[in-house]
């Protein structure tokens, strides 16, 4: 197959918050930049983010300090977030947030005209003062929408070249492991093109769709992770999946932690505010992993609500109609539409739901992808030409559990950092890797497999099998025997998916083809997750095992590194050396 | 229940046709998008756009039994009496007035072009302060009902003036965004923005028919925004 080549200095795959912050940086510097996105950029998942962007801009509290934010984040990560990266994010954060405001983001405001900040889970005033802080900057409960549209608008202004509704299929790598660009197809016409660039930036977002119940958009299929794994690159901490406490029961759609930040709380069927028992100090605003587990305990102990006792209630009516309509207007809409409950009058039925992928492609703070699997010197080896930012990346600032509002900050801080780094590298004469025809063939082989398929199982059935396997074996609580079984099932699914059938081979807006290609990626993420979860023999952050209920710092105070070539788990050191503050030493995590 | 869907694949079909599907919803009040997913299991070749499935990304605007709306937040019970019970078919067509690429997927280029024409970004040439620009809660409140637009095109594709002049009349969505920046206390390009609208077509083709208001899935009111711009233009002329 011979295909057209288009050449750029840099290409960004992904038009969410991370991708558009990176492309903006590069477009403004005048380098030839393209942004490829499988949906029109403002339809990316970032648009769904509700509660806000956490950052010590010292608006709600003039004495706020980014070091406190850093402390909370390190603690929230259950101590496997890299402290140099967290330091960078929390200290650079205010600049990145003020930039967003200058770009026009319509933040909500305090009386004095400064940006409104609300309390979110896991926020304190530093190691010595557990007082609840209010550090999450918000545009009502539509912060992601406001942020994404603002970034799109600025990219329009800067003249970024958009390839909307183009689908990234696979990386093009050379024999010596350099990245030369990606193969992508126009969804509208079916044309397959080689996007050749000195720098390829992955900003493809999360993969919540490996589970049957998730807060994630239908397009969150882990394409970037799939492409990296197929290229033989490792992923880090991929067993760490955040289950958000408040997904609407049955529907999976999210209601923000900001509901509890504004004063809402969870109750069981007896009307008891049960978080007082599990986290006496922070209560409903403890870390998400802690709250999600507490909810599951209540449900498993028979104190769940509803006829099947399979959810709990989020109570908001005491906040009053005015607060609800001004601070949480989107939540009121969502709850009525998907939970059949008007929060002004009745509680919302909620249940922990798959929400966020803490793991991803390991990178440094410039977004450079790290190659080495296992081994403690891994930091030094980079994949030439490949960068990753946003949810697909693992810098790592979230470790084993992300704090609310820290993802949006991660997107803009590291999207910008990668943009700045690439700008400079291009100026200094970054090299273009040159693939030969074998390299091109390799990159096109997966697409060809589907095109040549003539019979086999359907994509929809296989996807359902995969999702229910993950849901049953790798949820909030995990168990050795169930996981071992899950690992086996996923391996079998690999066989089956390798033989699956794409019936519709037409070129024009063929969504069946896209769903088939996405299924391969779901499988890659699922298998990495399964193996990593089964191999990490401890409980930490979001990874919680019945058979290993305790944190094991002796053996597992480290990143996990999944190597697709061996399908085995290795380890990598966590960074405990921030540049300007003292190390935060691991402590028992209580809220 | 019966679902009737507009089908057109330019590679195979000379002209569009309506295809009937029998879908078992088990009597549940599903969202139209869930029904589409069931159809797609039966017939993977049927094409439509979707992403967030919660009414915030604007992907799945379509014409549902004659009215534009988002499939993901339109329950069967709200489509038309009898649809949920299976007494009447669910009828899905692409948004009217835009070229069809395939099945329920329309070419949105014209719609996006009009959006880009209003310079949909904040313009302020004074050097930015070290922190954020201040804005009072009252000034910020002026943006409510404007910034929430999700660019779903339900409004513009229900507007007769947009159907007749999609290249010259900006349409309700773009005008709403134009006003979003005119109303922003931080924006300084008022004069320039108004100047660009002051011709017989860009804005003045709106005849206040209000189709746009009645279909907006986010409850926004483009007609009112257009009215505000109109007053600003008139004031400026004096
Ligand atoms: C309901 C919900 C609410 C949330 N609320 C908050 C919050 O309040 N605060 C917070 O900090 N975080 C929040 N999060 C998390 C946060 O929104 C996400 O982690 C973040 O938006 C991810 O951004 P991203 O830029 O990495 O990716 P995304 O926004 O997911 O964008 C991914 C992009 O990649 C493109 N893409 C993917 N695959 C391909 C491919 N193969 N080819 C071409 N393009 C491709 C897509 O088109 C898209 O443009 C929330 C998450 C959810 C689910
Ligand atoms: S009010 Fe104006 S913009 Fe709205 S539908 Fe009518 S003519 Fe179109
Ligand atoms: S104004 Fe409403 S209908 Fe029109 S594009 Fe925006 S959200 Fe859609
Ligand atoms: S799928 Fe996003 S608005 Fe319907």
């Amino acid at each position: 197959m011979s295909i057209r080549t288009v050449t750029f200095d840099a290409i960004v795959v992904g038009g969410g918050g991370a991708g558009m912050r990176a492309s903006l940086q590069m477009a403004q510097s005048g380098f030839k930049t393209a942004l490829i996105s499988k949906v029109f950029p403002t339809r990316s998942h970032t648009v769904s983010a509700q509660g806000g962007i956490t950052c010590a801009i010292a608006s709600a509290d003039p004495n706020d300090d980014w070091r406190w934010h850093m402390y909370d984040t390190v603690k929230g990560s259950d101590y496997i977030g890299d402290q140099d990266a967290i330091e960078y994010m929390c200290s650079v954060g205010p600049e990145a947030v003020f930039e967003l405001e200058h770009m026009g983001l319509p933040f909500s405001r305090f009386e004095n005209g400064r940006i409104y900040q609300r309390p979110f889970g896991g926020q304190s005033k530093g190691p010595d003062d557990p007082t609840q802080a209010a550090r999450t900057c918000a545009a009502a409960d539509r912060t992601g929408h406001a942020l994404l549209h603002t970034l799109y608008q600025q990219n329009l202004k800067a003249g970024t070249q958009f390839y909307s509704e183009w689908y990234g299929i696979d990386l093009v790598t050379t024999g010596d492991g350099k990245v030369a660009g990606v193969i992508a197809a126009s969804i509208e016409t079916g044309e397959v093109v080689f996007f050749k660039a000195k720098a390829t930036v992955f900003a493809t977002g999360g993969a919540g769709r490996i589970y049957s119940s998730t807060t994630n958009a239908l397009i969150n299929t882990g394409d970037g992770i799939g492409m990296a794994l197929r290229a033989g690159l490792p992923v880090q901490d991929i067993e760490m999946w955040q289950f958000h406490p408040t997904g609407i029961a049955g529907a999976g759609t999210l209601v923000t932690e900001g509901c509890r930040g504004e004063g809402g709380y969870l109750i069981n069927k007896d009307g008891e505010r049960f978080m007082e028992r599990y986290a006496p100090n922070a209560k409903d605003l403890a870390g998400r992993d802690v709250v999600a587990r507490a909810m599951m305990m209540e449900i498993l102990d028979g104190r769940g609500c509803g006829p099947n006792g399979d959810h709990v209630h989020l109570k908001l009516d005491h906040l009053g109609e005015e607060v609800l309509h001004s601070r949480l207007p989107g939540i009121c809409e969502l709850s009525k539409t998907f939970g059949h409950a008007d929060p002004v009058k009745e509680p919302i039925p909620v249940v922990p739901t798959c929400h966020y992928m803490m793991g991803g492609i390991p990178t440094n703070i410039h977004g450079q992808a790290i190659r080495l699997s296992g081994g403690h010197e891994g930091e030094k080896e980079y994949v030439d030409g490949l960068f990753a930012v946003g949810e697909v990346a693992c810098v790592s600032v979230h470790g084993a559990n992300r704090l609310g509002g820290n993802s949006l900050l991660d997107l803009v801080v590291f999207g910008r950092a990668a943009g700045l780094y690439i700008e400079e590298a291009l100026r200094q004469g970054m090299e273009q890797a040159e693939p030969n025809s074998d390299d091109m063939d390799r990159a096109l082989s997966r697409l060809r497999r589907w095109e040549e398929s003539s019979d086999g199982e359907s994509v929809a059935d296989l996807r359902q099998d995969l999702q229910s396997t993950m849901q049953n074996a790798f949820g909030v609580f995990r168990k050795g025997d169930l996981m071992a079984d899950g690992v086996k099932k996923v391996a079998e699914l690999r066989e089956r998916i390798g033989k699956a059938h794409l019936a519709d081979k037409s070129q024009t807006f063929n969504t069946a083809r896209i769903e088939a290609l996405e299924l391969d990626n779901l499988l890659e993420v699922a298998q990495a997750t399964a193996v990593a979860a089964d191999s990490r023999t401890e409980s930490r952050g979001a990874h919680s095992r019945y058979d290993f209920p305790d944190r094991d710092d002796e053996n597992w105070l480290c990143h996990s590194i999944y190597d697709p070539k061996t399908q085995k788990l290795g380890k990598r050191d966590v960074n405990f050396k921030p540049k300007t503050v003292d190390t935060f030493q691991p402590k028992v995590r209580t809220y | 229940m019966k679902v009737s869907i507009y089908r057109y694949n330019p590679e195979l079909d000379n002209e569009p046709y309506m295809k009937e599907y029998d879908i078992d919803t088990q009597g549940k009040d599903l969202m139209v998008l869930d029904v589409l997913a069931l159809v797609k299991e039966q017939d993977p070749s049927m094409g439509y756009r979707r992403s967030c499935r919660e009414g915030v990304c604007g992907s799945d605007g379509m014409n549902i039994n004659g009215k534009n709306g988002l499939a993901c937040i339109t329950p069967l019970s709200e489509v038309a009496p009898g649809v949920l019970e299976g007494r009447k078919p669910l009828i899905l067509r692409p948004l009217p007035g835009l070229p069809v690429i395939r099945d329920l997927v329309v070419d949105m280029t014209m719609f996006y072009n009009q959006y880009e024409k209003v310079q949909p970004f904040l313009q302020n040439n004074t050097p930015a302060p070290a922190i954020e620009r201040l804005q009072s809660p009252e000034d910020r409140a002026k943006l409510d009902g404007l910034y929430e637009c999700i660019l779903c095109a339900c409004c513009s594709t229900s507007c007769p003036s947009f159907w007749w002049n999609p290249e010259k009349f900006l349409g309700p969505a773009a005008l709403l965004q134009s006003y979003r920046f005119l109303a922003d206390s931080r924006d300084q390009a008022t004069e320039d923005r108004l100047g660009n609208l002051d011709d017989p077509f860009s804005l003045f083709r709106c005849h206040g028919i209000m189709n746009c208001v009645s279909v907006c899935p986010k409850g926004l009111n483009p007609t009112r925004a257009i009215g505000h711009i109109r007053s600003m233009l008139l004031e400026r002329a004096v």
Side-chain angles (χ1 to χ4, degrees):
Chain A
M1 188 155 40
S2 154
I3 59 172
R4 185 160 68 94
T5 300
V6 292
T7 309
F8 292 92
D9 290 316
I11 50 175
V12 179
V13 185
M20 286 210 284
R21 187 61 191 82
S23 63
L24 179 61
Q25 198 67 42
M26 295 185 286
Q28 282 171 341
S29 69
F31 284 104
K32 203 177 161 208
T33 311
L35 186 144
I36 303 171
S37 172
K38 64 178 173 179
V39 295
F40 182 76
T42 63
R43 326 233 182 263
S44 304
H45 185 57
T46 297
V47 81
S48 294
Q50 303 170 350
I53 175 166
T54 302
C55 187
I57 60 162
S59 167
D61 171 4
N63 297 317
D64 200 9
D65 190 322
W66 66 262
R67 293 165 194 88
W68 302 347
H69 181 197
M70 176 176 174
Y71 165 73
D72 291 343
T73 304
V74 171
K75 175 181 171 190
S77 80
D78 221 346
Y79 299 95
I80 60 164
D82 288 322
Q83 298 200 8
D84 57 342
I86 298 175
E87 174 188 41
Y88 181 78
M89 176 176 82
C90 296
S91 60
V92 175
E95 214 176 307
V97 169
F98 293 140
E99 276 172 8
L100 288 172
E101 195 283 333
H102 299 154
M103 292 177 199
L105 199 157
F107 281 111
S108 301
R109 302 287 172 155
F110 283 121
E111 276 309 317
N112 64 4
R114 292 209 60 191
I115 293 172
Y116 173 71
Q117 292 184 294
R118 62 164 53 109
F120 247 53
Q123 297 181 352
S124 75
K125 306 215 165 182
D128 308 318
D129 183 359
T131 310
Q132 174 72 43
R135 195 172 290 128
T136 302
C137 311
D141 55 2
R142 303 189 180 98
T143 315
H145 170 281
L147 182 147
L148 192 65
H149 281 254
T150 302
L151 284 174
Y152 179 64
Q153 294 161 352
Q154 290 299 314
N155 272 280
L156 280 180
K157 189 173 169 203
T160 302
Q161 197 167 342
F162 286 105
Y163 287 83
S164 287
E165 299 188 329
W166 279 73
Y167 184 81
I169 297 172
D170 266 312
L171 276 170
V172 177
T173 52
T174 55
D176 53 354
K178 295 183 173 138
V179 168
V182 289
I183 301 288
S186 157
I187 300 177
E188 184 177 337
T189 67
E191 190 196 7
V192 179
V193 170
F194 171 32
F195 285 79
K196 186 173 172 183
K198 296 173 190 135
T200 299
V201 184
F202 271 2
T204 50
R209 288 284 151 184
I210 62 168
Y211 290 92
S212 24
S213 174
T214 172
T215 62
N216 283 199
L218 292 156
I219 62 168
N220 282 18
T221 51
D223 297 353
I225 302 281
M227 289 190 263
L229 287 171
R230 274 191 302 276
L233 300 172
V235 292
Q236 174 171 292
D237 297 336
I238 196 73
E239 67 277 26
M240 298 300 178
W241 283 87
Q242 177 164 80
F243 287 78
H244 195 293
T246 56
I248 297 180
T253 39
L254 179 86
V255 296
T256 173
E257 184 166 300
C259 292
R260 284 169 284 140
E262 297 287 347
Y265 54 85
L266 297 163
I267 51 177
N268 59 22
K269 77 166 188 209
D270 305 322
E272 184 206 3
R273 184 173 182 183
F274 58 85
M275 278 315 297
E276 290 177 336
R277 269 188 280 123
Y278 295 88
N281 181 52
K283 302 191 182 79
D284 295 82
L285 288 177
R288 283 182 180 171
D289 52 337
V290 176
V291 180
R293 273 193 292 276
M295 292 167 71
M296 289 310 291
M297 300 290 272
E298 290 299 297
I299 292 169
L300 295 172
D301 286 351
R303 288 189 294 277
C305 306
N308 302 321
D310 56 1
H311 58 266
V312 300
H313 279 150
L314 172 62
K315 186 173 147 54
L316 290 169
D317 57 323
H318 58 286
L319 300 178
E321 189 164 349
E322 205 182 295
V323 170
L324 289 175
H325 285 169
S326 68
R327 299 269 184 242
L328 302 166
I331 296 310
C332 294
E333 257 177 63
L334 280 173
S335 171
K336 280 188 257 181
T337 311
F338 292 101
H340 308 290
D342 179 355
V344 173
K345 299 187 202 116
E346 52 198 327
I348 311 176
V350 291
V351 70
T353 306
C354 165
H355 183 61
Y356 185 85
M357 174 175 81
M358 266 81 69
I361 300 172
T363 71
N364 67 2
I365 59 169
H366 308 299
Q368 289 178 279
I370 295 171
R371 170 191 309 285
L372 207 72
S373 44
H376 292 191
E377 296 297 315
E379 296 248 15
K380 302 288 178 291
E381 252 187 82
Y382 297 111
V383 185
D384 280 344
L386 185 66
F387 298 77
V389 289
E391 193 168 336
V392 69
C394 184
V395 185
S396 138
V397 286
H398 310 304
N401 172 64
R402 173 175 74 89
L403 291 190
N406 265 358
S407 172
L408 292 183
L409 187 64
D410 168 3
L411 308 185
V412 294
V413 166
F414 293 106
R416 175 179 183 267
L420 287 167
Y421 180 88
I422 295 169
E423 220 181 293
E424 188 49 34
L426 285 169
R427 224 170 263 130
Q428 305 201 352
M430 203 173 182
E431 270 180 42
Q432 171 70 57
E434 294 295 341
N436 61 28
S437 63
D438 286 350
D439 299 332
M440 293 302 291
D441 256 15
R442 202 167 351 107
L444 285 161
S445 61
R446 181 168 75 102
L447 178 64
R448 198 174 316 118
R449 213 285 297 153
W450 283 107
E451 291 309 302
E452 288 167 2
S453 69
S454 55
D455 62 23
E457 290 182 83
S458 86
V459 168
D461 291 346
L462 288 163
R463 187 174 50 218
Q464 249 171 35
D465 277 5
L466 181 78
Q467 290 169 335
S468 56
T469 303
M470 295 308 290
Q471 188 78 27
N472 295 335
F474 303 95
V476 176
F477 287 115
R478 299 167 172 185
K479 249 167 122 172
D481 51 345
L482 274 180
M483 285 198 287
D485 191 46
V487 170
K488 227 171 73 207
K489 282 204 183 116
V490 175
E492 286 161 16
L493 275 159
R494 178 176 289 277
E495 295 287 307
R496 290 164 62 196
I497 290 173
K499 290 184 253 159
H501 179 211
L502 170 67
D504 183 358
K505 308 244 171 27
S506 62
Q507 297 300 311
T508 313
F509 221 100
N510 184 344
T511 48
R513 175 182 288 126
I514 302 299
E515 289 188 16
L517 292 165
E518 287 175 340
L519 178 63
D520 288 329
N521 296 322
L522 289 172
L523 170 73
E524 295 293 348
V525 184
Q527 188 161 34
T529 300
V531 171
D534 185 38
S535 309
R536 188 184 270 270
T537 47
E538 65 154 354
S539 289
R540 178 185 303 272
H543 178 62
S544 180
R545 294 180 67 139
Y546 281 120
D547 45 352
F548 294 92
D550 300 317
R551 193 171 87 186
D552 175 2
D553 283 351
E554 204 163 305
N555 294 299
W556 287 105
L557 187 62
C558 61
H559 296 299
S560 75
I561 292 279
Y562 171 79
D563 179 355
K565 291 177 192 143
T566 58
Q567 301 188 351
K568 294 226 153 55
L569 204 68
K571 295 180 179 180
R572 185 174 158 240
D573 282 351
V574 169
N575 179 295
F576 284 101
K577 292 198 185 96
K579 297 202 171 64
T580 64
V581 294
D582 292 338
T583 303
F584 292 107
Q585 296 297 344
K587 284 194 286 196
V588 178
R589 215 169 132 242
T590 54
Y591 284 99
Chain B
M1 66 182 290
K2 292 259 186 292
V3 186
S4 175
I5 301 182
Y6 178 102
R7 298 298 309 269
Y8 177 63
N9 178 344
E11 293 165 51
L12 306 173
D13 309 319
N14 290 327
E15 51 186 65
Y17 61 98
M18 297 300 289
K19 184 163 176 183
E20 293 254 330
Y21 297 90
D22 242 319
I23 298 296
D24 182 11
T25 56
Q26 298 171 334
K28 285 192 212 148
D29 193 9
L30 299 178
M31 296 295 172
V32 171
L33 188 68
D34 301 327
V35 177
L36 276 168
L38 293 172
V39 172
K40 196 159 177 76
E41 276 177 30
Q42 227 179 70
D43 179 358
S45 75
M46 191 269 305
Y48 60 102
R49 291 189 175 102
R50 83 284 182 278
S51 170
C52 72
R53 61 82 175 89
E54 58 186 22
V56 294
C57 78
S59 294
D60 58 346
M62 59 184 70
N63 189 273
I64 306 169
N65 289 50
K67 191 178 173 199
N68 290 354
L70 297 174
C72 62
I73 52 169
T74 306
L76 290 172
S77 57
E78 279 172 25
V79 172
V83 170
L84 171 62
E85 298 77 15
R87 278 186 282 110
K88 277 200 189 140
L90 172 67
I91 306 169
L92 304 175
R93 294 170 183 277
L95 289 174
L98 294 175
V100 174
I101 296 176
R102 172 176 179 164
D103 302 335
L104 298 172
V105 179
V106 292
D107 182 349
M108 309 262 289
T109 311
M110 273 192 291
F111 176 79
Y112 296 139
N113 282 349
Q114 300 305 59
Y115 172 68
E116 286 178 31
K117 274 194 209 155
V118 305
Q119 303 182 350
F121 37 79
L122 192 83
Q123 301 183 52
N124 185 323
N125 292 326
T126 53
I131 58 165
E132 70 269 42
R133 293 197 162 93
L134 301 183
Q135 185 174 47
S136 71
E138 294 72 37
D139 279 339
R140 168 59 184 74
K142 292 181 186 148
L143 308 182
D144 285 335
L146 305 172
Y147 81 95
E148 302 93 323
C149 172
I150 58 175
L151 299 177
C152 66
C154 285
C155 56
S156 295
T157 60
S158 71
C159 167
S161 300
F162 188 75
W163 293 339
W164 305 138
N165 296 291
E167 259 136 46
K168 290 199 206 147
F169 174 52
L170 290 169
L175 288 166
L176 186 82
Q177 286 320 294
S178 177
Y179 186 61
R180 177 248 172 275
F181 290 99
L182 285 166
D184 196 321
S185 60
R186 300 167 296 173
D187 190 87
Q188 298 174 328
T190 305
E191 185 45 39
D192 195 32
R193 293 180 188 282
L194 290 176
N196 288 338
L197 297 172
D198 203 358
D199 63 64
F201 274 95
S202 299
L203 174 129
F204 286 105
R205 277 289 135 154
C206 168
H207 299 305
I209 310 164
M210 305 254 290
N211 284 6
C212 53
V213 181
S214 71
V215 297
C216 176
K218 303 312 283 180
L220 310 180
N221 190 330
T223 315
R224 190 163 57 214
I226 293 168
H228 286 307
I229 306 179
R230 205 186 281 263
S231 322
M232 289 173 93
L233 280 168
L234 293 176
E235 233 166 81
R236 172 172 171 273
V238 180

